[in-house]
Amino acid sequence: MISVTEKAKNKITELRSQEGKTDNHNIRVAVKGGGCSGLMYDLVFDDTTQPNDQIFEDKGIKIMVDKKSLLYLAGTTLDFSDGLNGKGFQFINPNASRTCGCGESFAV
């Protein structure tokens, strides 16, 4: 399962509205090769469910994850930070053995 914090929920709702997306546009979280640690997170709005998607809902936010990415993301919490140390979505991933300084890539 993937969960979202209250701050992430609020930011997702705000961004969905700003981008003119409907409530049918869910969050798609994926893992792709790349970044300085080897794997990168990918986060987009998507209104199309794929056959191999797993769908989770937390705090009213639906999150779609393909089965391959789920192996790396199980138990992850999506957070949002707007503090002085950086602004943006953050992945709190218990499966990551190390992350890069910017927090956008990780290794297992």
Side-chain angles (χ1 to χ4, degrees), residues 47-61:
D47 63 349
T48 306
T49 303
Q50 301 301 321
N52 66 343
D53 282 345
Q54 296 290 314
I55 301 175
F56 304 98
E57 186 168 347
D58 188 32
K59 297 179 179 64
I61 301 294

Side-chain angles (χ1 to χ4, degrees), residues 54-70:
Q54 296 290 314
I55 301 175
F56 304 98
E57 186 168 347
D58 188 32
K59 297 179 179 64
I61 301 294
K62 287 187 180 176
I63 304 163
M64 301 184 296
V65 184
D66 65 86
K67 286 184 183 179
K68 181 180 172 190
S69 295
L70 187 58

